[in-house]
């Protein structure tokens, strides 16, 4: 599908650099960033939660975790929370991110710990309840020029783009 092709093109390092305007010759495409509150609870009833997004959209999604905390009804036991995500080779890895205990560490601030979805939170040990909170950030680059046209255009217009940016071109 075209959306999938756009998503694949967006994820290539070359277009990411271009979109950010790092090359200096291209006028950066308008970028919008939306941020939504995220939360889930892990307990003996719900031991895991998976956060995933639509494959088809051409936006970049980031889950920025802010805090993990024990909530009402938690016992004084070790609650180990594990994150299951993909590494740079797209292999699934499980990493413990917190060990919460009512008497010594009932909460943990994660200071915008950023994860790429899909990501699963698991209560590896303990019975919780542990509340996971954060923000779901969506970065969208609006670009009406299709990828093929853009590549041809880039080859032809590269030398005159800086002039065009200043508005001196007739």
């Amino acid at each position: 599908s075209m959306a999938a092709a756009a998503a694949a093109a967006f994820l290539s390092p070359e277009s990411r650099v271009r979109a950010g305007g790092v090359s200096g010759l291209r006028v950066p495409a308008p970028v919008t960033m939306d941020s939504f509150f995220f939360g889930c609870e892990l307990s003996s009833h719900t031991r895991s939660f998976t956060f995933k997004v639509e494959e088809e959209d051409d936006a970049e999604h980031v889950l920025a975790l802010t805090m993990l905390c024990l909530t009402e009804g938690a016992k004084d036991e070790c609650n180990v929370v594990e994150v299951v995500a993909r590494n740079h080779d797209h292999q699934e890895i499980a990493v413990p991110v917190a060990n919460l205990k009512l008497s010594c560490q009932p909460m943990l601030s994660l200071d915008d710990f950023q994860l790429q979805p899909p990501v699963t939170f698991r209560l590896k040990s303990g019975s919780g309840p542990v509340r996971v909170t954060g923000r779901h950030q969506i970065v969208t680059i609006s670009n009406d020029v299709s990828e093929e046209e853009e590549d041809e255009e880039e080859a032809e217009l590269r030398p005159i783009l800086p002039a065009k940016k200043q508005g001196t071109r007739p």
Side-chain angles (χ1 to χ4, degrees), residues 45 65 116 131 136 142 153 156 161 168:
H45 309 295
L65 299 185
Q116 296 287 332
R131 171 64 67 173
H136 173 198
S142 57
E153 206 178 85
E156 291 168 32
L161 267 171
T168 53

Side-chain angles (χ1 to χ4, degrees), residues 16-32:
R16 180 174 291 166
V17 166
R18 247 189 285 151
V22 180
S23 63
L25 293 174
R26 305 241 348 142
V27 178
V31 174
T32 54

Side-chain angles (χ1 to χ4, degrees), residues 11 16 29 46 48 53 60 63 67 76 80 85 93-94 96 120 130 151 157:
L11 291 171
R16 180 174 291 166
T46 312
S48 74
V53 294
E60 181 166 357
L63 188 59
M67 192 176 66
D76 194 29
V80 176
I93 53 167
T120 299
V130 176
D151 289 344
L157 298 185

Side-chain angles (χ1 to χ4, degrees), residues 40-95:
C40 71
E41 193 171 87
L42 305 174
S43 66
S44 48
H45 309 295
T46 312
R47 298 205 72 87
S48 74
F49 176 88
T50 300
F51 175 83
K52 48 182 178 282
V53 294
E54 266 315 305
E55 290 290 319
E56 300 293 274
D57 77 5
D58 51 356
E60 181 166 357
H61 296 261
V62 172
L63 188 59
L65 299 185
T66 48
M67 192 176 66
L68 293 173
C69 70
L70 290 169
T71 57
E72 200 178 343
K75 301 191 205 77
D76 194 29
E77 60 185 354
C78 288
N79 290 273
V80 176
V81 178
E82 185 176 74
V83 166
V84 183
R86 299 193 178 281
N87 66 12
H88 69 290
D89 288 328
H90 295 287
Q91 287 171 324
E92 218 169 64
I93 53 167
V95 179

